[in-house]
Amino acid sequence: MNRSTFAEMTKGHVVILDGATGSNLMMMGMPKNVCTEAWLLDHPELVIELQKQYKEAGSRFIYAPTFSANRISLEKHGLSDKVEYLNAKLAEVTRKAVGSDCCVVGDLTTTGELLEPIGELEEEELFEAYREQAAALCKGGVDAFVAETLMDVKEAVLALKACRDVAPDLPFMATLTVMESGHAFYGGTAQELIRQMQELDADAAGINCSFGPDKLKAITASMTEIARIPVIVKPNAGLPETNAAGETFYSMKPETFVDQMQELVDLGAGMIGGCCGTTPAFIRLLAERLAR
């Protein structure tokens, strides 16, 4: 895929993304407090099973589970020298799961460290971490990049520049996690993300995680009213709750989720999927609703 192909695929169409990865894999047996990416390479059959389900449900863009496989995050597990191995292999696992019928998206995210002046992370260090990860993802054969669950618009800018430095003709998407006000946790707003990404010629931008779709109408409208690129909305299955055993769960049912997502599509969202708590059943209903 190149950027022109991406533009053709998304122009005038609503594109179905995938749903949650982490919350599903934990239900499938992934333990807490491990390096997710390393654990998944030891259990690739779980990734393949989940991603095949998303493909069959109707997803056309499926994220490789490379979320935190950047040098800064991996350092916390003593694996900072495994960036190329983890990203390339997990991209290959995803391709094995979905074949050539779906777009495999290399997934980057925030590092857990805050940029200066709020924190101590320098912009150059973050740029280099993203650049290294993007190069590894290219070796794994990804069709596009996404920088998701970002906490600061500056992270999106640095990720875009890093990915373009490595592969200028691969599509780049970015999504913030925001509060109900539309503000990111450490810098910027959903609207500012759209403006910045358009100025820098990104291919799509929007929001993910945060809340359920019922709380994202005003934020979605604020993005679509200024957007010249596809607006991504990939929310949770409602707010997280905790049961008596201390386990986190999401109570929004697929039918409710899809009803609310239809309203966001009506507001102009062009690329839609799910984040925490969503499953292939959510994506299947979403695809069926759009088909109607």
Side-chain angles (χ1 to χ4, degrees), residues 246-265:
E247 299 167 329
T248 300
F249 70 98
Y250 295 82
S251 61
M252 184 175 282
K253 302 301 182 187
E255 295 79 9
T256 305
F257 181 88
V258 170
D259 287 343
Q260 297 290 340
M261 288 299 291
Q262 178 67 63
E263 295 189 36
L264 302 185
V265 170

Side-chain angles (χ1 to χ4, degrees), residues 152-154 156-157 160 173-176 178 182 187-208 219-233 268-270:
D152 188 330
V153 171
K154 286 192 289 186
V157 171
L160 184 153
M173 307 177 285
T175 52
L176 280 181
V178 296
T189 67
Q191 257 200 349
E192 287 172 23
L193 177 73
I194 298 294
R195 289 195 178 98
Q196 285 264 24
M197 291 295 98
Q198 288 179 162
E199 288 176 10
L200 294 170
D201 202 26
D203 300 280
I207 52 178
N208 79 289
I219 297 170
T220 299
S222 76
M223 294 188 294
T224 58
E225 68 184 8
I226 64 169
R228 302 187 305 275
I229 56 178
V231 170
I232 301 169
V233 184

Side-chain angles (χ1 to χ4, degrees), residues 1-10 169 171 203:
M1 171 181 284
N2 57 35
R3 297 184 62 207
S4 296
T5 307
F6 179 92
E8 291 171 7
M9 287 180 66
T10 56
D169 203 34
D203 300 280

Side-chain angles (χ1 to χ4, degrees), residues 1-248:
M1 171 181 284
N2 57 35
R3 297 184 62 207
S4 296
T5 307
F6 179 92
E8 291 171 7
M9 287 180 66
T10 56
K11 185 176 182 179
H13 304 283
V14 178
V15 175
I16 304 289
L17 305 171
D18 60 9
T21 298
S23 56
N24 284 292
L25 289 170
M26 290 185 75
M27 288 191 295
M28 297 165 77
M30 184 176 74
K32 296 180 180 179
N33 303 319
V34 297
C35 176
T36 299
E37 292 76 18
W39 190 88
L40 291 178
L41 273 186
D42 289 334
H43 303 82
E45 69 282 357
L46 299 183
V47 178
I48 291 171
E49 179 184 345
L50 179 62
Q51 292 176 329
K52 280 184 174 179
Q53 289 178 23
Y54 279 130
K55 175 184 174 180
E56 291 165 2
S59 297
R60 288 295 163 260
F61 284 71
I62 294 182
Y63 294 11
T66 55
F67 192 64
S68 294
N70 62 75
R71 173 171 294 275
I72 298 167
S73 297
L74 290 175
E75 179 67 39
K76 298 161 190 173
H77 300 280
L79 296 171
S80 60
D81 61 338
K82 300 296 185 183
V83 172
E84 180 175 319
Y85 175 76
L86 291 171
N87 283 278
K89 289 297 183 183
L90 287 170
E92 290 169 6
V93 168
T94 303
R95 178 66 70 196
K96 180 178 180 181
V98 304
S100 59
D101 298 333
C102 293
C103 299
V104 173
V105 183
D107 192 345
L108 306 88
T109 190
T110 189
T111 64
E113 303 295 329
L114 303 181
L115 282 165
E116 293 179 332
I118 300 173
E120 298 180 355
L121 181 61
E122 296 179 357
E123 290 189 10
E124 182 62 26
E125 184 180 359
L126 182 57
F127 170 84
E128 290 298 336
Y130 283 148
R131 189 186 184 285
E132 180 182 30
Q133 188 177 7
L137 288 166
C138 283
K139 289 192 174 183
V142 299
D143 298 305
F145 300 111
V146 65
E148 64 161 338
T149 324
L150 302 177
M151 302 291 180
D152 188 330
V153 171
K154 286 192 289 186
E155 292 175 333
V157 171
L158 292 167
L160 184 153
K161 290 179 177 179
C163 290
R164 285 283 154 80
D165 193 49
V166 169
D169 203 34
L170 284 190
F172 176 87
M173 307 177 285
T175 52
L176 280 181
T177 291
V178 296
M179 298 177 279
E180 285 194 64
S181 63
H183 286 78
F185 286 87
Y186 297 113
T189 67
Q191 257 200 349
E192 287 172 23
L193 177 73
I194 298 294
R195 289 195 178 98
Q196 285 264 24
M197 291 295 98
Q198 288 179 162
E199 288 176 10
L200 294 170
D201 202 26
D203 300 280
I207 52 178
N208 79 289
C209 206
S210 305
F211 309 102
D214 53 320
K215 296 185 180 295
L216 295 177
K217 293 169 191 171
I219 297 170
T220 299
S222 76
M223 294 188 294
T224 58
E225 68 184 8
I226 64 169
R228 302 187 305 275
I229 56 178
V231 170
I232 301 169
V233 184
K234 208 170 185 280
N236 293 343
L239 291 169
E241 302 175 51
T242 306
N243 62 21
E247 299 167 329
T248 300

